[in-house]
Amino acid sequence: RTELDALGVVFDEVDGDADAEAAAFVESVNHGNRVVPTVLFEDGETATNPTAQTVAELLAGSSD
């Protein structure tokens, strides 16, 4: 979170322990595992345990 903030990345954080639907989604894209962070981008793509830099780069690429 700190690194994303430092890079100016705007994001919504969802607590998979408090949100059963979010937990099920994480498991569905990670072969049954609850791997966090799992990032869901607006275009529907996901990234599992990406670096903050990777998230920033993927977001920058999606705006082209």
Side-chain angles (χ1 to χ4, degrees):
R1 287 173 265 183
T2 301
E3 292 176 24
L4 291 172
D5 287 337
L7 291 169
V9 175
V10 177
F11 61 95
D12 292 322
E13 183 176 357
V14 178
D15 181 351
D17 290 329
D19 184 330
E21 187 175 323
F25 172 78
V26 169
E27 290 173 358
S28 77
V29 298
N30 292 302
H31 311 288
N33 297 308
R34 275 198 185 182
V35 181
V36 291
T38 296
V39 180
L40 172 62
F41 296 93
E42 288 183 355
D43 66 359
E45 293 295 317
T46 61
T48 301
N49 204 16
T51 65
Q53 187 63 43
T54 297
V55 171
E57 289 170 1
L58 290 170
L59 288 171
S62 68
S63 65
D64 290 342

